[in-house]
Amino acid sequence: MNQVLQDSLDLARIDQSSEEARLVDMSALIDSIVEEFRDRGLSALFLDSPRAPVFCKPMLTRRLARNLIDNAIKFGKAAEVCVLLTADHVEVRISDDGPGVPPEDLERVLEPFVRLEPSRSRDTGGSGLGLAIANRIARAQGAQLRLENGAHGGLQAIVSWPKPAANEH
């Protein structure tokens, strides 16, 4: 109950964060988070990724990535993470090998307290706030979180940040 209360408070406070956005190499930040999971003996892999400067709030972004990687490990047993550059975005992709999410629920699971796992146990399904917190953190920074089912199973969480303008580096 304490964790659900803390998560609820965190969700409510995201928009009031006083943390300053700064230019960060997203690949280095995400790699360090993956290493935290590996240090705890969990199955997470960071794939070779290019330098990817982006303006973000690093502490909030850490929370976002931890929530998504934790979900990938919890529901898929392993997380595979990479950072990609597109023409105008920096994308963090977190993939798992789990069952995925029914297509009609892909957007709904980003809402607070939505759980697809029917038990009330936090051990098997969590509080239904992890994805909502990640989504709110992304939006608060001008990023977008979307979920996609993999072509061969599993789920992919993709967080997309606008690339900084060349004169912002």
Side-chain angles (χ1 to χ4, degrees), residues 86-146:
T86 69
D88 50 0
H89 288 91
V90 172
E91 292 186 349
V92 175
R93 292 180 175 249
I94 300 165
S95 305
D96 67 44
D97 58 355
V101 171
E104 65 273 12
D105 291 325
L106 285 170
E107 289 187 34
R108 191 172 73 86
V109 295
L110 298 175
E111 298 171 14
F113 302 108
V114 172
R115 292 172 30 126
L116 299 180
E117 201 276 332
S119 83
R120 293 182 173 217
S121 170
R122 280 190 51 83
D123 294 334
T124 58
S127 64
L129 286 170
L131 287 174
I133 288 170
N135 190 40
R136 178 84 51 90
I137 290 171
R139 287 193 338 235
Q141 299 185 80
Q144 178 186 11
L145 168 61
R146 71 182 187 280

Side-chain angles (χ1 to χ4, degrees), residues 18-73:
S18 62
E19 183 182 8
E20 293 291 323
R22 61 185 176 91
L23 192 61
V24 172
D25 178 4
M26 189 60 68
S27 291
L29 179 71
I30 298 299
D31 185 24
S32 71
I33 295 164
V34 169
E35 281 305 309
E36 292 172 11
F37 281 88
R38 294 174 57 84
D39 288 347
R40 292 179 14 220
L42 299 171
S43 185
L45 175 65
F46 184 73
L47 302 176
D48 191 34
S49 298
R51 286 184 40 85
V54 69
F55 278 100
C56 71
K57 296 180 177 185
M59 295 305 292
L60 280 178
T61 301
R62 283 183 168 283
R63 174 75 187 265
L64 179 158
R66 283 184 187 120
N67 284 8
L68 296 176
I69 294 168
D70 187 59
N71 272 5
I73 293 169

Side-chain angles (χ1 to χ4, degrees), residues 143-159:
Q144 178 186 11
L145 168 61
R146 71 182 187 280
L147 303 176
E148 297 177 356
N149 284 309
H152 304 290
L155 186 71
Q156 202 173 68
I158 303 159
V159 186

